[in-house]
Amino acid sequence: MGIYDNNLGIKLPSKGILYAILAILVLVILWLALTSVMNFFKPQALQFSLSQNELQASGEDTSTLTVILTNVSEETKKNVNIEITASIPGTILINSKNVLYENVSPIAKKESRQLEYVLRANPANEMLAGNYTLSIKAKMDKEEYTKEFSVKVVK
């Protein structure tokens, strides 16, 4: 058992065992890839879109924020609340088109609600041009979902 011997005292497994290990590794990699692809196509509980991303600082124009709440669980969600806030209070005015207060009607499993809000810069504030961050917080029973986005204010 010298250092110049062929195997140095290490016995390598046979080719059959190496092929089995390789097959298991390939299956694990395929499983990980498949689960990541499935998560990509899984419906999201909170989605949103903006009709336009720029607002005039004078408050002359508006943007429509469309929020879609989807119940991704297997049970009906009875307590559904949504809150949309600006990071700097009073800078962006947020008015709901179809929801009174912050409560949303119950959502059955695999169903969704589409809510619309009108956004405009507050003309009472002397707003500077720049990006303003807003956040959407949705609570469905005990589950909470949050998304943030920014709106550009121009002079």
Side-chain angles (χ1 to χ4, degrees):
M1 183 160 134
I3 58 172
Y4 297 110
D5 289 345
N6 287 342
N7 62 6
L8 296 176
I10 300 171
K11 186 169 184 168
L12 296 175
S14 68
K15 286 186 178 182
I17 293 175
L18 288 176
Y19 287 136
I21 292 172
L22 182 64
I24 290 172
L25 284 174
V26 167
L27 287 175
V28 167
I29 290 170
L30 286 174
W31 180 75
L32 290 172
L34 183 64
T35 55
S36 66
V37 168
M38 294 294 285
N39 285 337
F40 181 74
F41 290 110
K42 188 171 77 171
Q44 295 183 4
L46 178 59
Q47 300 174 13
F48 72 92
S49 64
L50 279 170
S51 64
Q52 66 178 15
N53 197 29
E54 285 189 2
L55 297 173
Q56 294 291 327
S58 62
E60 294 173 0
D61 60 346
T62 63
S63 177
T64 300
L65 170 67
T66 303
V67 178
I68 300 174
L69 296 175
T70 304
N71 183 355
V72 294
S73 71
E74 295 296 322
E75 56 193 35
T76 299
K77 299 295 184 183
K78 295 180 180 169
N79 288 329
V80 181
N81 297 321
I82 187 166
E83 179 182 6
I84 302 171
T85 56
S87 60
I88 304 173
T91 54
I92 306 292
L93 299 175
I94 305 162
N95 297 317
S96 173
K97 283 187 173 180
N98 51 1
V99 176
L100 193 58
Y101 305 110
E102 296 171 347
N103 296 324
V104 180
S105 60
I107 305 175
K109 65 179 181 178
K110 308 300 180 199
E111 288 188 2
S112 62
R113 298 282 179 273
Q114 181 172 324
L115 310 166
E116 291 186 344
Y117 298 86
V118 177
L119 306 178
R120 75 181 172 106
N122 189 351
N125 288 346
E126 291 193 24
M127 295 184 63
L128 299 174
N131 291 326
Y132 290 82
T133 303
L134 286 87
S135 66
I136 305 170
K137 294 178 184 175
K139 186 172 182 182
M140 292 188 246
D141 288 342
K142 294 181 181 178
E143 298 172 6
E144 291 187 17
Y145 305 95
T146 304
K147 294 245 178 163
E148 288 189 346
F149 64 97
S150 64
V151 175
K152 185 176 184 178
V153 174
V154 293
K155 288 277 184 182

